[in-house]
């Protein structure tokens, strides 16, 4: 985790040839996959692997997403995925993302994903009542 503008979790990926189009530019939907990589690793870093959520009977389905493309990523570049908890509410959780080229830290994409805490049957739950310790951990990581 880093502390610049809130608590960011950082991880890296390398652009594979399969991630690109014929021009060797990253195909746009891959950024959502990399958002998931960042989110999953952030959750793992705070001590709750996503698998554990499911084992405890919770899920975090996606309800909304947005991305802003600034520059193209290309084949074989190493990318820095920065992820943070933007907002942690009783039923909702919002993550923010930046994807940067690792070599020069050029900002390529920003975005957010919005999620709802649910049971495995996809019924919304108030996480602060069902798992108060998890709610408190997520609140500590929330951007201020």
């Amino acid at each position: 985790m880093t502390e610049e503008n809130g608590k960011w979790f950082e991880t890296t990926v390398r652009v594979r040839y399969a991630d690109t189009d014929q021009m060797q530019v990253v195909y746009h939907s891959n950024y959502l996959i990399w958002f998931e990589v960042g989110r999953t690793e952030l959750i793992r870093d705070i001590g709750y692997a996503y698998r554990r959520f499911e084992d405890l009977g919770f899920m975090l389905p996606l309800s909304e997403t947005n991305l802003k493309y600034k520059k193209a990523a290309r084949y074989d570049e190493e990318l820095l995925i920065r992820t943070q908890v933007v907002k942690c509410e009783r039923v909702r959780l919002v993550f923010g993302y930046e994807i940067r080229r690792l070599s020069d830290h050029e900002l390529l994409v920003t975005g957010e994903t919005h999620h709802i805490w649910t049971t495995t049957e996809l019924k919304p739950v108030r996480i602060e009542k069902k798992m108060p310790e998890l709610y408190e951990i997520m609140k500590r990581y929330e951007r201020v």
Side-chain angles (χ1 to χ4, degrees):
M1 290 281 178
T2 63
E3 297 297 323
E4 175 191 327
N5 295 326
K7 297 174 182 167
W8 288 95
F9 175 81
E10 298 180 343
T11 192
T12 61
V13 295
R14 183 170 301 276
V15 178
R16 303 168 306 148
Y17 192 79
D19 298 327
T20 65
D21 59 21
Q22 190 173 5
M23 299 173 290
Q24 296 187 2
V25 171
V26 168
Y27 187 70
H28 66 275
S29 64
N30 285 299
Y31 293 102
L32 289 170
I33 294 167
W34 295 330
F35 284 4
E36 181 182 356
V37 168
R39 180 172 65 249
T40 300
E41 294 304 319
L42 179 149
I43 291 168
R44 184 185 321 282
D45 190 63
I46 65 170
Y48 278 86
Y50 193 83
R51 164 70 72 192
R52 186 168 172 209
F53 287 169
E54 292 176 349
D55 290 346
L56 293 169
F58 300 105
M59 300 189 87
L60 269 176
L62 184 70
S63 63
E64 179 181 334
T65 187
N66 67 66
L67 294 89
K68 292 185 182 174
Y69 303 99
K70 305 199 180 273
K71 298 267 183 164
R74 297 187 178 275
Y75 171 64
D76 205 37
E77 290 181 330
E78 194 168 8
L79 305 179
L80 177 66
I81 305 167
R82 301 182 77 216
T83 309
Q84 70 179 179
V85 177
V86 173
K87 188 180 287 188
C88 177
E89 298 176 332
R90 295 177 209 159
V91 178
R92 292 179 180 83
L93 188 58
V94 179
F95 293 94
Y97 308 90
E98 291 182 353
I99 296 184
R100 295 176 176 269
R101 190 178 307 107
L102 190 60
S103 62
D104 60 5
H105 288 269
E106 176 97 34
L107 182 61
L108 306 177
V109 174
T110 61
E112 286 186 347
T113 58
H114 298 237
H115 305 264
I116 299 171
W117 288 106
T118 71
T119 65
T120 53
E121 293 81 32
L122 300 178
K123 295 182 180 182
V125 296
R126 291 179 58 164
I127 199 67
E128 91 286 2
K129 290 189 177 204
K130 296 285 186 181
M131 290 282 299
E133 64 280 0
L134 175 58
Y135 178 72
E136 288 304 316
I137 290 170
M138 297 306 279
K139 287 298 279 183
R140 283 197 303 266
Y141 282 87
E142 186 175 31
R143 179 174 68 195
V144 183

